[in-house]
Amino acid sequence: MPLGRGAQMGLGFVGVAGLLTAAGLAMTMAPSGAPVADPDQSVTSETSSTPENPPAQPLTARAGLLAQGDVESLVQANHALRATSESDQGESDSAEPLTEDQLNAWLDDLAGLGSGFRRFGPVDRSRVMELVGVGLDRMTVSPVPDRWIEALTPSAELLTVGLADASPAVRAGAAEVLGRVWAWQPGAPIWPDAERTVATWKNRLHTPLVALLDDPEPGVRLATVIALGKLPIDAMAEPAVARIADDVPAVRMQVLTSFAHRRDVLTDDAVLPLLFDPESPVALAAQFVLKARGLDDDLIGLAKLLYHPRADLRASAISQIERRDDIDPIVWLDRLSRDEDETVRSKAMEALSRLASPDARRRVAEMAASDPSPTIRDAARRVLDDLTADLPPLPGAPDLYPRAN
């Protein structure tokens, strides 16, 4: 809802985001039992021969064991991928670039994990998701060996299967990795063809992630909101805003956290109802977000009236709206003209009829045509008739040039 001249956006979300994230990430997830193996849905390495999909090679010894679901080999693969030189001990995993030998071993391990993923238990499948994220992070550090592009397809296949896994922890883990994928770039200069390959790789992961917004597990929905909130393209991130109405407070809180600074995606109109959220931390967070966007206490108090549970208090906002000159009254009255209560809509229609504005008249005409109440429809038609009668005659109209007797 555009709130007029007095409501300019102001960004100061460090404290707000910290508070909201702390509450949102309090969710816990218990992994469910291992899924039933389904060979038809397992990840395979059968792809056409392209730069990112080279002809299949025989698996190394460790990759062969990974294809069989060997847990010890998974530990070894994790250690090998995270290994750094002695001079880099104590630094983060991504502080040092992958060596060519490490990348070659990682590509072999990806092939083995693709074949054996469903043979691992749920805890180890979560570790596979984490390992994919580590590998991708390491490949962002320059210089990355030339074969980096070959890791895109198998990593996407593993993440896609992880997003559809039977275990909530695995699905959430895959979503967490995707939150880092959107900004991913290899640690090397790339040509346009490779840029398109990277873009396609990212796009193929978007649809299965969005599907998790309807996941039955709250923790998975929360992780999905976080991941989509990191997507810089508004149209692709926007589906997450629907979870502002989630049944779980932590998910609603996370939507506020992730989109507090993106007013075009999470509109003021979507935030305002949360001022009366049954969970007081969520209601307080909504108020913080609106203040950070430039609404003062006075405007927030008026906004609260629009969404108050009592119809008489919602109706009382109309006289206040008409007296203010620092907001666009049509925007606020339009909201009240769609209220569920007939009395509120009727008073809003009367206030709109007093405004000399084409937008106000257009809304009155809509109410005359489609308001659920026949009483309001009739009243709106009479208002339109009166407004038409008060208009001056059009140029060339007979009334403008009366005939002499």
Side-chain angles (χ1 to χ4, degrees), residues 128-331:
V128 172
M129 295 296 102
E130 180 184 354
L131 196 57
V132 171
V134 171
L136 292 173
D137 290 343
R138 291 292 301 274
M139 289 195 297
T140 64
V141 185
S142 180
V144 64
D146 292 339
R147 294 185 67 195
W148 65 266
I149 200 168
E150 297 177 28
L152 297 186
T153 294
S155 64
E157 290 173 346
L158 279 166
L159 289 170
T160 300
V161 174
L163 291 170
D165 195 87
S167 167
V170 178
R171 299 196 299 274
E176 191 277 331
V177 173
L178 288 192
R180 310 202 298 271
V181 160
W182 313 129
W184 189 91
Q185 288 294 321
I190 57 176
W191 295 98
D193 284 349
E195 289 181 350
R196 285 190 289 270
T197 298
V198 171
T200 300
W201 169 68
K202 294 178 182 182
N203 285 335
R204 71 177 287 188
L205 294 166
H206 180 256
T207 299
L209 177 65
V210 170
L212 291 188
L213 289 171
D214 296 321
D215 195 276
E217 291 292 333
V220 178
R221 300 197 300 274
L222 186 145
T224 304
V225 169
I226 294 175
L228 288 171
K230 295 177 180 179
L231 228 169
I233 302 173
D234 285 351
M236 297 182 73
E238 188 174 14
V241 172
R243 297 268 47 107
I244 196 73
D246 198 278
D247 292 338
V248 176
V251 180
R252 301 197 296 274
M253 184 82 79
Q254 188 57 55
V255 175
L256 289 171
T257 302
S258 294
F259 295 95
H261 63 292
R262 300 173 74 170
R263 200 171 192 170
D264 290 340
V265 182
L266 180 64
T267 63
D268 294 346
D269 238 353
V271 177
L272 286 170
L274 294 189
L275 292 171
F276 287 97
D277 194 276
E279 295 292 331
S280 57
V282 179
L284 182 61
Q287 185 167 329
F288 285 166
V289 169
L290 292 171
K291 281 188 175 182
R293 291 180 173 188
L295 276 71
D296 58 24
D297 289 333
D298 195 23
L299 272 176
I300 290 175
L302 179 58
K304 279 186 175 181
L305 288 178
L306 269 67
Y307 293 91
H308 199 284
R310 287 175 48 184
D312 60 321
L313 291 180
R314 297 198 298 275
S316 71
I318 294 173
S319 59
Q320 297 186 44
I321 292 170
E322 290 186 292
R323 289 196 300 267
R324 298 187 71 111
D325 60 3
D326 60 340
I327 61 174
D328 183 350
I330 296 175
V331 173

